[in-house]
Amino acid sequence: ARTGDPEVVYGAGKTPEQVAAIMATLHERHPERAVLATRLSPEAMLAVESLGADVHPVARAATLGPLPTPRGAVGVLSAGTSDAPVAAEAALTVAVHGAGVTEIRDVGVAGLHRLLAVRDRLDDLDCLVVVAGMEGALPSVVGGLTGLPLIAVPTSVGYGASFGGLAALLGMLNSCAPGVTVVNIDNGYGAGVAAARIARSASPDRSGRRANEAGRG
Amino acid sequence: ARTGDPEVVYGAGKTPEQVAAIMATLHERHPERAVLATRLSPEAMLAVESLGADVHPVARAATLGPLPTPRGAVGVLSAGTSDAPVAAEAALTVAVHGAGVTEIRDVGVAGLHRLLAVRDRLDDLDCLVVVAGMEGALPSVVGGLTGLPLIAVPTSVGYGASFGGLAALLGMLNSCAPGVTVVNIDNGYGAGVAAARIARSASPDRSGRRANEAGRG
Amino acid sequence: ARTGDPEVVYGAGKTPEQVAAIMATLHERHPERAVLATRLSPEAMLAVESLGADVHPVARAATLGPLPTPRGAVGVLSAGTSDAPVAAEAALTVAVHGAGVTEIRDVGVAGLHRLLAVRDRLDDLDCLVVVAGMEGALPSVVGGLTGLPLIAVPTSVGYGASFGGLAALLGMLNSCAPGVTVVNIDNGYGAGVAAARIARSASPDRSGRRANEAGRG
Amino acid sequence: ARTGDPEVVYGAGKTPEQVAAIMATLHERHPERAVLATRLSPEAMLAVESLGADVHPVARAATLGPLPTPRGAVGVLSAGTSDAPVAAEAALTVAVHGAGVTEIRDVGVAGLHRLLAVRDRLDDLDCLVVVAGMEGALPSVVGGLTGLPLIAVPTSVGYGASFGGLAALLGMLNSCAPGVTVVNIDNGYGAGVAAARIARSASPDRSGRRANEAGRG
Amino acid sequence: ARTGDPEVVYGAGKTPEQVAAIMATLHERHPERAVLATRLSPEAMLAVESLGADVHPVARAATLGPLPTPRGAVGVLSAGTSDAPVAAEAALTVAVHGAGVTEIRDVGVAGLHRLLAVRDRLDDLDCLVVVAGMEGALPSVVGGLTGLPLIAVPTSVGYGASFGGLAALLGMLNSCAPGVTVVNIDNGYGAGVAAARIARSASPDRSGRRANEAGRG
Amino acid sequence: ARTGDPEVVYGAGKTPEQVAAIMATLHERHPERAVLATRLSPEAMLAVESLGADVHPVARAATLGPLPTPRGAVGVLSAGTSDAPVAAEAALTVAVHGAGVTEIRDVGVAGLHRLLAVRDRLDDLDCLVVVAGMEGALPSVVGGLTGLPLIAVPTSVGYGASFGGLAALLGMLNSCAPGVTVVNIDNGYGAGVAAARIARSASPDRSGRRANEAGRG
Amino acid sequence: ARTGDPEVVYGAGKTPEQVAAIMATLHERHPERAVLATRLSPEAMLAVESLGADVHPVARAATLGPLPTPRGAVGVLSAGTSDAPVAAEAALTVAVHGAGVTEIRDVGVAGLHRLLAVRDRLDDLDCLVVVAGMEGALPSVVGGLTGLPLIAVPTSVGYGASFGGLAALLGMLNSCAPGVTVVNIDNGYGAGVAAARIARSASPDRSGRRANEAGRG
Amino acid sequence: ARTGDPEVVYGAGKTPEQVAAIMATLHERHPERAVLATRLSPEAMLAVESLGADVHPVARAATLGPLPTPRGAVGVLSAGTSDAPVAAEAALTVAVHGAGVTEIRDVGVAGLHRLLAVRDRLDDLDCLVVVAGMEGALPSVVGGLTGLPLIAVPTSVGYGASFGGLAALLGMLNSCAPGVTVVNIDNGYGAGVAAARIARSASPDRSGRRANEAGRG
Ligand SMILES: Nc1ncnc2c1ncn2[C@@H]1O[C@H](COP(=O)(O)O)[C@@H](O)[C@H]1O
Ligand SMILES: Nc1ncnc2c1ncn2[C@@H]1O[C@H](COP(=O)(O)O)[C@@H](O)[C@H]1O
Ligand SMILES: Nc1ncnc2c1ncn2[C@@H]1O[C@H](COP(=O)(O)O)[C@@H](O)[C@H]1O
Ligand SMILES: Nc1ncnc2c1ncn2[C@@H]1O[C@H](COP(=O)(O)O)[C@@H](O)[C@H]1O
Ligand SMILES: [Mg+2]
Ligand SMILES: [Mg+2]
Ligand SMILES: [Mg+2]
Ligand SMILES: [Mg+2]
Ligand SMILES: [Mg+2]
Ligand SMILES: [Mg+2]
Ligand SMILES: [Mg+2]
Ligand SMILES: [Mg+2]
């Protein structure tokens, strides 16, 4: 983590024992800050829970060690319940990377009134993460309602011509709302890292950032 | 046109002389109904104009012979001016195929207030054609505002990862608004034929349809 | 269901308990109309059966609550038995959405005489759903025999260069029969919603539609 | 031409002078048999015409030297006029490779009656070449009407999701009619070579084949 | 089987009981000719074996009823042992469709001497089926050695950029050996049907074909 | 521009007259702020120059009206000269959207020493835009050197398997450096809008942002 | 192995018994040189271990018989632990094919300092194999640091838009570092063969190569 | 050229004046070694010719300054004349990078006897570059005849399903001949750089290499 970010364990393709061992080692090295583990199987969640980690089942993730004091505010918007794991991974990653986070769910494009109903809540945020599968239209609509930095996360939710999230990914890359940027399919983690950086740098107390990045290099 | 539809000349890959000759022949055979020619080059438009055809430059199309009395009402919605040729091809095709048509322009998803402002006009229609390029999100949003039959037309407007309209096509096929059906990229003609059939069958005066399809073979 | 459509539960990725619980809740809220659940595993079918739902095993679907009185007539055509689940999903969806439905099976393009033998039955219908996998040629052939609104459903049946239904999808989008519109691969549900809307609006008793959509919002 | 086939010049990417020079050289070497040149520009057609070659403008091809006596019978079927160049290239190639050929045009799948009207003419043939663009459905329908060897040629005719002939190619590879084999997009030449071989070997006078292939190796 | 071909059961996606029941029914209807079943699971092979079917484990196929007297000769060439199931499916299909068949194995392009050693055996054949996975180069090499009709079968053998047989398919479609035609990935069955038709029509005793196709509809 | 952004004219597909007319109209409406026009042909650049616009030939763009006072600092990094137009479009867009901008050129991944030599200059920036074609590796390397928000822009520079920028796009979406976000191929404009928003919100004088966005709708 | 290479058994799709039997047979034929078996399941590893083979679990491979004396030096570089199996397969293949090999791990592009720290070790090598998944950027960076022959191996490590290694493959094919050549996704074996050939031919003692290839056919 | 390679100008997208100016500047800096310019338009060839550069029209390239004394021997094999520009670019690049080069043309896979006739000439070479379009099978066949390092270059020669060289590229990546490595479509330059490095390191006089790379940074 040369860039000042917390350590993260990518759980896919690792045994529960491996995940638990890496988390423990990283935690010992820096007990004062959180380690994040993502893409955990149910077995890996049990294994890290017995280490004392906080498990987040929807996000399929866990943290070990204290979360940083949040600076700045990120909103994570999503439509269907199928996108929930990716949205939760993004939200938890934001928190672990030191920004505040609000989850706004069930605001799909085919039910605009629900989205319009939460529009005012967007005004107090510094950055948005917008998660959507299938046609991936939500970032365009949200991007038309706000001038905030907006990171779009396509999900692999869908079937047939969704081609594992490709349809949503292409939709987001072609968004007619200017200023939308995009991460890989299902990459809530990457969106969370980017959003936390943006929100933290937008927050008034700037001495903090310099401090916590001092050791990099 | 065994199915009762008017004759249509597809102008792409034909010389102006060929287009004009085919239009003239088809018109002579049935002077009482319109011939439609689509995908016309500027030169072909001039050639058919001197035959007495009505030229529609935005639609890159022309008609020769009287249009039928419209039955039923189709709305053709589009966002940007780049999508105008496809929207105009769809609208003209609807008219030639015997339904009434209203064009509603400049209602992109990144400017929702304009779309919401026309929402009430949708109530009196029998079928919608929704034209969009880039991410192709408009049909999902419109489909969430209405229960009408809705035909989505992806356009090749865009660049890079729009892949010639593929992004919009995939977006529309994966629409989270139920009941959206889709035609080929830039196929305003096909959407117009389908919409006219739906709108005509939805209109009260049903004797007409049976009559005008009596001769089919 | 702001658009007046019945509530639908998409069973893929949900546990049997989740499906049953959602069906029960939706049914309680509006016991006077049907709830539809699709893409059910065998276990989910058992779970909803014990709630009193009607299970449709071929369609991998179930309904709870009374079906609406049908208005208008939809035909669902398919070729091989491998396409049966998608055709059955489409047919059940039509019924749940308030239109009458006739299934016409075993009419593939490589055995034209069977298709020609049913041609007269198409005359009394208001809309067609045509389901086909592999090369997806059936909609073009049927579209040449009739002037009805026609919704084509590609299926993922096939192997090798069918690429999970892509070959059939592209075939249908490029149909040389004008007026064919297309839905996502295996999306019998979407085709059924669209077809029911078209058939209902084509049926004489129009007061019904306005009534049952009055509450939309 | 070690395999006993006539010499063929592929004109794409060659100057008119190059094409004419190669044709002249090959003709001089074997004045008793035909040289075929394909994919000729209008300029190349003029250049070879002044050599005394027979130019076939629809096929964009030319021959120099006497055609062989035909043995066996190939039918070349096609739908629209846009597919005519590919069908003509196939038919000319068949003739140059020593088989008889019949062209049957305007038999698209969306107008079945025209196809059914020519069905009896297929009985006297030894092999079929079926040319189609857009959705490429014609081989499946023809393949269901006959048990003859059938070679399908996809064309690049179409736009949008035809992806330069990919849709037709995939459709033909997935044909539900057994025994259909396929060549590259627009490859009338390759289909013609294969069909001529099949038809010649099916014709009674078999001494000929052995004779004319005696020099190979 | 309107085209005079034997009945074939495609076993993929069917239960062992379904396969056995269909084979039995078809056999009863025409006990004088063979029924072919392909793509059988080990369980389905056991099920049909107890019906009295002949099981071909490498081909993952079985036949019930007497094979026809062979007419004409087909060669089936393949390279590695991984392509054996597809080659065996092709060879068995040829036999069931009434032609003689010779299998020539282990003749990959990276070991040319083995291929050159069998070259003379090709002279007595009427048609070739060439099966290859990975880069699919074998048909080009064989096609350069012979003037016979040649059907290429790409297989899904390979990994990474073979993309499930796509690399081999594209290679074969672009073969520089003229007259190569291609079937779907892993489609030994389709190649066998086509090859048997070609070989039978090339064999001297032609009365047979007409007779056995007399009943077609 | 409901979101507080300046007005932008997308010049692709518009005549020089259309571009000039739209720029003039928008400028008249708000002479106190800049209008940006992108994707200008040489002719369109001349046309807007005679209006008094500032033309930026490398960026193929022009501005009319005073640029805002910059707040925050964006770095635009690029490797080869082929990527210069996209980098320049990004840099100009940043300036028009109110942030300061530094261009850092000729820092490709195959010449690391040049990149390492500028590393210290990155420390004073608020956001990076990293432009790269071909394999698109630069954002991963830069992302490993800094913890700043980083927007990657793939370009269509390359040939063969670059597939018009697809290789670079996929590379960037799969970046192993966390927190990289991506825009469409060649979309310097979109990256510039996003980067300006991020940099402005990171700059100390925050009253400004609220003020200049006060009128949004 | 006509080309002088050792015999190799590709274990994918073979039973443990088949792998063990082939290894034993090949070993008996030439007990003086090693047989390599790759892509082994855990069960196959056990089976060949009881034959006396040396099992390499990370590489999922085994050897039977003495390795040749190494000539020349190959470096195998990789970034993450997920790429370890492919890197190990490459390294073992190099050894079996008679060259020396050094593995350099954990040198990803997002942590340049680790790569720069090993740069001097590259000077003594004759050829590099560079293994990377996700965006596949490592070969470009390494290629910029050295003038050695460099073989890039994309891996299927990644998710979403990595498309099973396609992103890494395209990245490597488009490398801006000249002289990078590429093998199939996950093909450590192929890279190892090529690298061993290059390193051996670069080593001073050249008599050896001629000797050990003398028997080739 | 930190890696010791000569300077190279990539002419695509540069004006003749730009190419000439860059060549002149690079030449002045190091008049003792050659500058290479590739992908030159006819106009650029004229422009650099008047500088005194040696123009290679088939390779669409030019050199300025003395070529190095060759060390080691590379063979460049190709099939058709359409692949000649890519083969010539590879051969010239080899020479400029200091290795000897032999071009072997007209050795396509569909005419094996010509390839077998040159087989003995391969024995004296150190590295092969094998150029092929269409199905790209030549490297597999050559790779089976020799144990030399072999670099395969797919070309964009072909049409339809060659997809601009994709078919050849995939074929080469999936080659069943072990040890084949691959470069980008049409990338004769890249293959030449790699081959020259391999051949030079294989040549006895090794002091040279160290010397001429001594200045690298
Ligand atoms: N869910 C995720 N998606 C993508 N990358 C991740 C994810 N979680 C962790 N990572 C990345 O994986 C790295 C750790 O990988 P590893 O060392 O294999 O556990 C972290 O530093 C992150 O950059
Ligand atoms: N813009 C269009 N897009 C797709 N198909 C069209 C279009 N215009 C006409 N067609 C179809 O082309 C047929 C006429 O083709 P042709 O005989 O070649 O002029 C019509 O019957 C329509 O089915
Ligand atoms: N239309 C065509 N499509 C594909 N291949 C062709 C075509 N015409 C000729 N050929 C092939 O091109 C070879 C001649 O190529 P060339 O020597 O370049 O003229 C012939 O032997 C044929 O194999
Ligand atoms: N990991 C591997 N990846 C690709 N090809 C391999 C691999 N291992 C072995 N091979 C090839 O497979 C051949 C043996 O295949 P088989 O006879 O099916 O066991 C060898 O000669 C190699 O060319
Ligand atoms: Mg969604
Ligand atoms: Mg749009
Ligand atoms: Mg079907
Ligand atoms: Mg067609
Ligand atoms: Mg093979
Ligand atoms: Mg670059
Ligand atoms: Mg990697
Ligand atoms: Mg070639």
Side-chain angles (χ1 to χ4, degrees), chain G residues 47-61:
Chain G
V48 300
E49 197 157 39
S50 48
L51 279 185
D54 288 314
V55 169
H56 302 252
V58 175
R60 300 158 305 174

Side-chain angles (χ1 to χ4, degrees), chain F residues 108-112 115-116 133-137 140-145 158-163 166-167 170-178, chain G residues 108-112 115-116 133-137 140-145 158-163 166-167 170-178:
Chain F
V109 295
L112 274 190
L115 179 59
L116 296 175
M134 299 177 73
E135 82 273 59
S140 291
V141 175
V142 175
L145 295 176
Y159 62 86
S162 88
F163 296 123
L166 179 64
L170 294 181
M172 291 170 178
L173 287 167
N174 284 284
S175 177
C176 57
Chain G
V109 295
L112 274 190
L115 179 59
L116 295 174
M134 299 176 73
E135 81 274 59
S140 291
V141 175
V142 175
L145 294 176
Y159 62 83
S162 88
F163 295 123
L166 179 64
L170 294 181
M172 291 171 180
L173 287 167
N174 286 284
S175 176
C176 56

Side-chain angles (χ1 to χ4, degrees), chain B residues 8 24 36 53 55 62-63 68 74 79 104-105 119 134-135 148 151 160 165 183 197 217:
Chain B
V8 185
L36 170 66
V55 170
T63 57
V74 173
I104 301 178
R105 301 191 189 89
R119 188 185 170 175
M134 299 177 74
E135 81 274 59
L148 291 174
I151 298 164
V183 294
R197 290 180 180 179

